[in-house]
Amino acid sequence: MSSIKIPILDLKPQYQAIKSEIQAAIDAVLESGQFVLGPTVANFEAEAARYLGVKHAIGVNSGTDALIIGLRALGIEAGDEVITTCFSFFATAESISNIGAKPVFVDIQADSFNINPDLIEAAVTAKTKAIMPVHLYGNPAAMAKIRAIAAKHNLKIIEDCAQSFGAVYKGNCDGCEDTCDDAIRQPLMGRRAGSLGDVGAFSFFPTKNLGAYGDGGLITTDDDRLAELAIMLRMHGSKQKYCNEMLGYNSRLDAIQAAILQVKLHYIDLWNQQRRQVAKTYSQLLEGVADVITPALSDGHVFHQYTIRILGGKRDHVKKSLADAGVGSMVYYPFPQDRLPIYDGQYPANPVSDELGKQVLSLPIWPELSAETSQFVVKTLRASL
Ligand SMILES: *Cc1c(COP(=O)(O)O)cnc(C)c1O
C-alpha cells in the first residue's frame, strides 16, 4: 500500500503562506480589547460589501444563521412556502423549516447540479413567498430565469452563497442561451454571488472558499430596510441596546474572525483562480475516461468542490479504492434534502437528484493542490475503474 496520503482538503499550506499576517491581525484584536462586532468587524463588513458589489454586508455567527436571519428579514413566516433545491447541505432547508416555513423542493439540472429553473414555476402556489437557490460547489445558479420567475410571481430571492464566495454570474449555466429575457440577464452579467437576489447568505466555516478559523457568516443586501432588520435580528431584535423591538438572536461575528477574514479577503481571487486551475487539470486528465462525467468549467465557478459523476453503479467502489490508496474523497450529498429522514415521505420523487446522489464524488481540491497530486488522484481513480 502506498504511503501517500491525500486528504480531501488541506488547510495547512494556506496558513503557512499567510501566517505572519494572520498572527499580526489576531494580535491587534487582542490588544484592542474589543471582541464582538466593533470597528474590526465593521471594517471587514465594508470591504466585503465593496468586493461583493452590494450596499450592505452584515456579519453573523454562521452561514446557517445568515439564512435564518435573511429569511426573517424578508418577512418569511410560519406557513409560508420557500422554493429551494433538492440538492444541498441540510442547512439550506433547515433554515426554512426552523422558522416554521415549508421548504418546497425542486429538482436539479444534471449538468450544473443546481436548481432547474424550468421546474420552478410549477412549484409556485398561493403560499410561496421566496426562492432560495444554492450556488452549489461554487457554480452560480440560473439567476436570470430565477429572477424572471420571482418578478412574475412577486417572490423574494435569498441566495445560499455558502459555497460560492467570489463566484461570478456569467450567464453560461443558465441552460437558456436564450429563451430567457436578455433584459434581465444582461445586467446580472459579471456580478458576484450574493448580489444577484434580494438577500445573500455566506458561510465562513473553515472549509469554505473564504474560511475563518472558527464559525462565521455574512448577510448581503442592497436594501436599506432589510439591512436594518438583519442588524436588529443579529442583536436580540434591538437597534438600541436594551430596547428590544422583536424576537431576534445572539448571532454576531467575532472580531478575531473578522480580522482573519479581512486578511484572507485580499487573497480570495488568487485562491479561486488556483482552484479553477486545479479543476481544469482534473478535467484534462479525466477526459475520455469511460463512466466519468466531469463538471462544466464555467468561468465564474469557484470550485468549492470539484465534483464528478461516476456512472454504472461504481461510485462507492471508486470511493473505497481511492481511500485504500490514501486518497480522500467525499459524497456531497448522499441524500437529497427531500430524502432526509426528517422529511420522510413528505415529498414526491425528484428523479435527477435521486440519481445524482448515487453518482457524485468530490475529489481533493484546495488552492495549493499541485499538478502531481491531481495526477496521482486521477491515476488511482482510473485504476479503480
Ligand atoms: C456550509 C453550508 C451552509 C451552512 O453554513 P454554516 O456556516 O456551517 O452554518 C449552508 N448552506 C450550504 C450550501 C453550505 O455548504
Side-chain angles (χ1 to χ4, degrees), residues 30-64:
L30 297 180
E31 296 287 350
S32 81
Q34 249 202 330
F35 301 109
V36 177
L37 298 179
T40 309
V41 172
N43 283 339
F44 168 67
E45 289 172 334
E47 198 170 330
R50 264 197 311 280
Y51 174 84
L52 295 167
V54 291
K55 199 163 167 198
H56 304 279
I58 298 136
V60 294
N61 255 341
S62 68
T64 305

Side-chain angles (χ1 to χ4, degrees), residues 308-363:
I308 58 172
R309 292 167 59 194
I310 299 176
L311 310 181
K314 290 182 248 180
R315 193 268 315 274
D316 293 341
H317 163 75
V318 170
K319 185 173 193 307
K320 185 175 179 308
S321 303
L322 287 172
D324 290 345
V327 176
S329 66
M330 286 291 272
V331 174
Y332 302 114
Y333 298 88
F335 304 106
Q337 299 190 96
D338 51 312
R339 289 288 189 241
L340 291 170
I342 178 172
Y343 299 126
D344 188 32
Q346 290 175 37
Y347 293 99
N350 287 291
V352 180
S353 59
D354 284 346
E355 171 130 340
L356 264 58
K358 299 178 197 124
Q359 297 178 344
V360 289
L361 192 67
S362 300
L363 302 182

Side-chain angles (χ1 to χ4, degrees), residues 149-219:
I149 295 161
K152 181 169 164 195
H153 296 276
N154 195 23
L155 307 175
K156 300 295 183 190
I157 297 174
I158 172 168
E159 305 171 69
D160 181 338
C161 305
Q163 303 188 359
S164 58
F165 197 100
V168 177
Y169 179 80
K170 301 267 186 173
N172 47 1
C173 61
D174 251 323
C176 66
E177 258 105 332
D178 268 328
T179 53
C180 73
D181 191 346
D182 228 34
I184 294 181
R185 197 160 71 111
Q186 274 312 321
L188 298 181
M189 297 293 276
R191 274 164 56 178
R192 293 193 192 279
S195 73
L196 303 167
D198 297 286
V199 170
F202 290 87
S203 166
F204 299 130
F205 188 73
T207 61
K208 310 288 170 147
N209 287 37
L210 182 64
Y213 293 142
D215 274 309
L218 193 76
I219 297 164

